[in-house]
Amino acid sequence: KNKTNSQDSWEKAYEQKGKNTEATMFFAYRDSFIFLGIRNKNEFGKAEVLFSENNGTDWEALDEAGFGENVDEVVDLMATHALRRGKIRDAYISTSDGRILRRVKKGEWEAVYTAEEGSGAVTDLKKIGGTILAGVETVNGAEIIASTNGSDWITVVADGMGNANNSSIRRLKMIRNKIYALVTNTVDGAEIWEATVGGLATWTQAQSAGIIDTDNTEINHITSFLGKLFYSTTNAVDGALILIAR
């Protein structure tokens, strides 16, 4: 997006390579890098992550497609250290088949977490203080896992927070001193759970039943503006909503 003569205008920053590709994630790091996840939807498709250091003018692949681990879709990417001139250190990706991979060095990735058989995606990665959090889709409902070193992981919330219909952690977001987990539930309506930065072992329900409508099956985003919380929802019956917590 550019501003020209006080009017908003848009220009194409990246064009996918063909009809069998899909952009799966987009991540900006400290105004220095833009990352774009690409899924190649064909029989031999392997995921790629592209990055740009010049505001989307030029794009370069971050290592080989599939990352040496046959990854077919990157769900999220997180970088935990400063990135300069293409030297991307301590990057993590989450995958649609329940794995977290860590970049050891250029061209080399290692699996640091693999969900139990039958699980879905690792849906979100966030570093809160010295702890990395991730959401996992399991056969018993959504989980939140945590690690202080990126190698050893513990479960801090299991079994869909007591409701197996809570299927996925759509997003983890820190606002002020609280971490919010936006939980997808296509049966009872989406939920929001919260914990404090110093109390990640204890999560409480902040919103339930789609907040005001059980047809709100996902809370896609949460943000704070002028001291109020704003939520955006997915609602296939009434249409998407923007809600304000008063």
Side-chain angles (χ1 to χ4, degrees):
K1 181 180 179 182
N2 290 325
K3 280 202 167 183
T4 306
N5 298 326
S6 299
Q7 293 183 347
D8 288 348
S9 64
W10 294 81
E11 63 182 22
K12 188 181 296 182
Y14 175 78
E15 184 172 5
Q16 297 187 52
K17 293 179 290 185
K19 65 181 181 180
N20 288 324
T21 62
E22 175 186 5
T24 59
M25 53 76 60
F26 188 73
F27 170 74
Y29 183 86
R30 296 183 182 177
D31 296 326
S32 300
F33 284 76
I34 304 171
F35 293 95
L36 177 65
I38 299 295
R39 180 186 182 194
N40 295 304
K41 297 187 292 183
N42 56 57
E43 183 179 357
F44 305 105
K46 292 183 179 180
E48 298 177 273
V49 169
L50 309 179
F51 70 94
S52 173
E53 297 180 85
N54 55 10
N55 297 318
T57 300
D58 301 299
W59 295 86
E60 181 180 342
L62 177 64
D63 299 330
E64 67 175 345
F67 306 96
E69 295 284 345
N70 293 318
V71 174
D72 66 3
E73 181 178 348
V74 174
V75 179
D76 199 11
L77 180 145
M78 181 188 69
T80 61
H81 283 80
L83 316 178
R84 287 181 172 82
R85 296 184 182 180
K87 295 181 179 179
I88 298 166
R89 301 188 297 116
D90 293 331
Y92 294 76
I93 59 173
S94 65
T95 74
S96 58
D97 61 357
R99 290 181 289 168
I100 299 173
L101 305 183
R102 177 172 57 196
R103 195 175 198 241
V104 179
K105 59 183 179 181
K106 183 176 181 179
E108 184 177 341
W109 294 74
E110 64 177 355
V112 294
Y113 174 83
T114 302
E116 63 184 7
E117 186 176 354
S119 296
V122 177
T123 53
D124 200 20
L125 291 168
K126 284 291 182 299
K127 188 173 185 183
I128 309 293
T131 301
I132 302 171
L133 296 177
V136 185
E137 298 172 345
T138 78
V139 294
N140 298 314
E143 289 187 355
I144 299 175
I145 60 173
S147 175
T148 56
N149 58 16
S151 299
D152 304 305
W153 297 82
I154 62 170
T155 300
V156 293
V157 178
D159 299 332
M161 294 83 165
N163 183 350
N165 293 326
N166 287 333
S167 58
S168 180
I169 305 297
R170 180 71 176 83
R171 198 170 304 279
L172 294 161
K173 180 72 177 285
M174 185 171 74
I175 299 176
R176 294 186 284 274
N177 195 45
K178 288 186 177 180
I179 301 103
Y180 294 89
L182 311 186
V183 184
T184 298
N185 186 320
T186 60
V187 178
D188 311 305
E191 299 182 355
I192 299 177
W193 289 69
E194 64 182 30
T196 61
V197 173
L200 293 176
T202 303
W203 291 76
T204 58
Q205 190 178 69
Q207 299 285 348
S208 63
I211 304 179
I212 62 171
D213 183 351
T214 56
D215 292 324
N216 290 324
T217 56
E218 286 187 311
I219 309 297
N220 298 305
H221 294 279
I222 179 174
T223 192
S224 176
F225 181 68
L226 297 179
K228 297 179 184 289
L229 293 178
F230 289 72
Y231 315 108
S232 67
T233 77
T234 294
N235 187 316
V237 177
D238 306 308
L241 299 173
I242 302 295
L243 305 176
I244 306 173
R246 298 189 183 278

